[in-house]
Amino acid sequence: MASDRVHAALPDPPSQIEEENKEEEKVFGNIFAELESVDLPLGTTLRSIYDDQPNAHKRFMEKLDARIRNHDREIEKMCNFHHQGFVDAITELLKVRADAEKLMGQVTDTNRRLQEAGREVTAQTEEVIRCRIQQRNMATTVEKLQLCIPVLEMYSKLKEQLESKRYYAALKTMEQLEKVFIPRVSQYRFCQIMAENLPRLREEIKEISMSDLKDFLESIRKHSDKVGETAMRQAQQHRTFNSAVAKQASIGHYTKPVYFLNGQTHAQNGLMIDDDTGDDEEADEEILTAQDLVDFSPVYRCLHIYTVLGDRETFENYYRKQRKKQARLVLQPQANMHETVEGYRRYFNQIVGFFVVEDHILHATRGLVTRAFTDELWNMALSKIIAVLRTHSSYCDDPDLVLELKNLIVIFADTLQGYGFLVNRLFDLLFEVRDQYNETLLKKWALVFREIFELDNYSPIPVETEEEYKMVVSRFPFHDAEIEKQDFPKKLPMSQSVPQIYTQVKELIYASLKFSESLHRSSTEIDDMLRKSTNLLLTRTLSSCLQNLIKKPHIGLTELVQIIINTTHLEQACKYLEEFITNITNVSPETVHTTRLYGLATFKDARHAAEGEIYTKLNQKIDEFIQLADYEWGMAESDGRASGYLMDLINFLRSTFQVFTHLPGKVAQTACMSACKHLSTSLMQMLLDTELKQISMGAIQQFNLDVIQCECK
């Protein structure tokens, strides 16, 4: 340990001291290098000096002073080295100054002369520069104008299209302007104005096209009558043509029926037929369609415009709403429509025109209206039409008008059926109209029968010649071998009302047959219609007229006898009416569902009523004679002969019973028995009268003479 302390107190050897000095020099050299560098921050370097060792600052200052002194010595050496050269350079500069001043004068003079000489060139150069700038500007302007001219041309084209009302083309031009032309020159103010103006023009086009549509809707409402009239006339012509074809088919010359729909020729089974081969002038006429009568361009134009503008749904809703309103107006009939057939015809024409237009729109516009929409309109219209026809037909009491109404309904139904509308309910309605037609016929025939009965003389028909006989027989099926053997002049048992009534019954059958035409019904159904109509005529109208006739006060016994004879012959003629209907319909009466005529019962009832009226009137006449009896119940003796009133009564009965010879035996016998019984009863009541208090023997003898007279006669 002592040795260690001795070694520690000893100074360091020389080699160690040298190493430390070198290390210190190296450290300070780095520090000075960092300080002399302008790029490095000094704070860190200075901090390292003070943070190193306690005496570092002192040593640093010593080293820094030594460094400064070293640099001063180097500067001094350098200055000493370059001093002579500096002196020589100064001497040279002093010599050059005089030459430089001289040269400066020459340069200034040369510059002045150059400036004077180049002033004109400068002016011309500036002019050239200005021209070049103008040329460049012109080229730029031409280039920009070439871009703007198409825009202006398109806008001018747009204005022309708007003025000429080519709105759909104008919208296409606007679309090109917006998508192609305006984007190329969108930086210019006029293009911005154009772009801002296009939406306003679109709205104007929408308003104008909508205004045109409203004008079209108003116009079509006025022209629907003409369109419907044309369509129904064509349907009637086609129906007539098809009827002629059917007749040809029945004789072996069959041709497919042709009909026209929207101006196109169609035939059944897809077979096209040219109707120019006929001789009928109507076949050569041009077939007019809705498009020929109505300008639909406003609808197409408006539809295209709203489609281009992306507002098609709004247009479709507006169009359908307006057409629904117009449909309701069309379906409103005039108050006096039922008075004339023209009223019905105008009503049907307007409805047909409306739906023909809708059918054309349906097929021409692809979506503006749909089949569902038109079917909805038709179903609504059909219910209204049926209600209107029910109401107005009930007011009609003219069978001719009802028949014309039926024909109009058939043509109306056929026309709309040709356009694809369901019309079964219309044909069902015709059965109701048929009942109304039958009622009007019955009312009309009731007047006819009354007139016939009023004008009848109720006496057998006198026939002077064979021609007159044939004329009567041609009107009424009368056959009697005994009368035919008689010589002319002769009399037929019935009165003149019988052939007239028979003829009128046939006329009613013809009238009923007219209504059955074109109803698309089978022969059996038509036969049933005719038989039912005839039965109604016989059982209601004729029966009522006969009953009223029999009950009339002025109808006497002779007339009643003739009425019985007449009804007998009419009853016998019922089988000929059956044959008449069978010949019309070609339906055998043995068919299971064939309706039988009730004429036999009708005429039997009338005959029984007439017989009863004969009995009643005969008894009334007897009572009138009995009232003339004036017996003197207290007379002493009789007159020896029958009373005068009784002889008159017997003469009356004799003449009356003579008339009864034309009646069937049972009727005449019953009448005689009834008269005799009533007379005996009346005489008995006379004797048994409670007011009669006493009777003399002479009165009894007189009464006995009267009774004996009755027994003898």
Side-chain angles (χ1 to χ4, degrees), residues 352-560:
V352 171
F354 178 89
F355 283 101
V356 167
V357 169
E358 285 307 293
D359 181 79
H360 180 83
I361 293 294
L362 172 66
H363 291 88
T365 58
R366 296 182 181 178
L368 177 56
V369 295
T370 61
R371 174 55 68 182
F373 173 75
T374 55
D375 289 343
E376 178 186 357
L377 274 183
W378 171 242
N379 290 331
M380 181 269 292
L382 189 58
S383 299
K384 179 66 175 178
I385 292 167
I386 291 174
V388 167
L389 292 178
R390 279 199 184 110
T391 301
H392 283 263
S393 63
S394 64
Y395 299 147
C396 183
D397 55 3
D398 181 4
D400 293 333
L401 181 57
V402 178
L403 182 61
E404 291 184 3
L405 172 60
K406 166 259 172 183
N407 292 332
L408 284 176
I409 293 176
V410 171
I411 297 172
F412 174 75
D414 288 346
T415 303
L416 290 175
Q417 190 175 32
Y419 287 90
F421 296 100
L422 297 177
V423 295
N424 294 336
R425 292 173 61 189
L426 285 175
F427 285 104
D428 294 338
L429 173 67
L430 286 174
F431 285 96
E432 300 179 25
V433 178
R434 181 198 63 190
D435 296 338
Q436 175 67 19
Y437 178 69
N438 288 337
E439 290 298 324
T440 57
L441 286 179
L442 295 179
K443 291 179 181 179
K444 179 179 179 180
W445 258 254
L447 297 176
V448 172
F449 289 152
R450 291 194 191 103
E451 184 178 2
I452 291 174
F453 290 143
E454 289 176 0
L455 298 177
D456 194 8
N457 56 10
Y458 297 98
S459 60
I461 300 175
V463 178
E464 301 294 335
T465 62
E466 186 176 358
E467 287 74 14
E468 292 181 5
Y469 179 79
K470 290 181 178 179
M471 183 179 297
V472 174
V473 173
S474 65
R475 297 170 57 198
F476 181 77
F478 175 78
H479 303 286
D480 190 315
E482 294 183 2
I483 294 179
E484 290 178 357
K485 293 177 181 179
Q486 295 176 6
D487 297 330
F488 292 99
K490 53 188 174 182
K491 291 184 178 181
L492 304 183
M494 64 281 189
S495 67
Q496 63 182 4
S497 63
V498 172
Q500 293 176 350
I501 290 174
Y502 183 82
T503 301
Q504 288 302 321
V505 173
K506 291 173 64 176
E507 289 296 325
L508 181 127
I509 295 173
Y510 279 126
S512 298
L513 180 63
K514 288 181 180 179
F515 193 92
S516 303
E517 294 175 350
S518 306
L519 291 185
H520 310 296
R521 298 296 173 181
S522 64
S523 299
T524 304
E525 291 175 307
I526 295 175
D527 182 86
D528 186 64
M529 292 182 202
L530 296 181
R531 292 177 182 273
K532 287 181 178 180
S533 300
T534 307
N535 280 331
L536 285 175
L537 179 70
L538 297 176
T539 58
R540 284 178 50 187
T541 307
L542 183 55
S543 176
S544 176
C545 291
L546 285 171
Q547 296 292 340
N548 293 333
L549 175 66
I550 292 169
K551 298 295 183 181
K552 286 185 176 181
H554 71 276
I555 297 297
L557 293 173
T558 304
E559 288 82 1
L560 290 173

Side-chain angles (χ1 to χ4, degrees), residues 535 538-539 567-578 596-608:
N535 280 331
L538 297 176
T539 58
T567 54
T568 302
H569 286 282
L570 288 172
E571 179 182 349
Q572 295 171 356
C574 285
K575 63 179 181 180
Y576 297 102
L577 291 175
E578 293 261 11
R596 311 300 299 181
L597 292 184
Y598 304 143
L600 297 177
T602 298
F603 296 121
K604 283 181 180 179
D605 293 342
R607 187 163 59 251
H608 292 160

Side-chain angles (χ1 to χ4, degrees), residues 11 54 64 74 89 115 121 187 218 232 263 318 346 390 399 441 471 483 488 524 561 618-619 676:
L64 181 59
E74 288 179 358
Q115 290 293 332
V121 175
Q187 68 272 22
E218 180 64 23
M232 290 185 67
Y318 176 82
R346 285 193 299 269
R390 279 199 184 110
L441 286 179
M471 183 179 297
I483 294 179
F488 292 99
T524 304
V561 170
L618 190 59
N619 293 339
C676 293

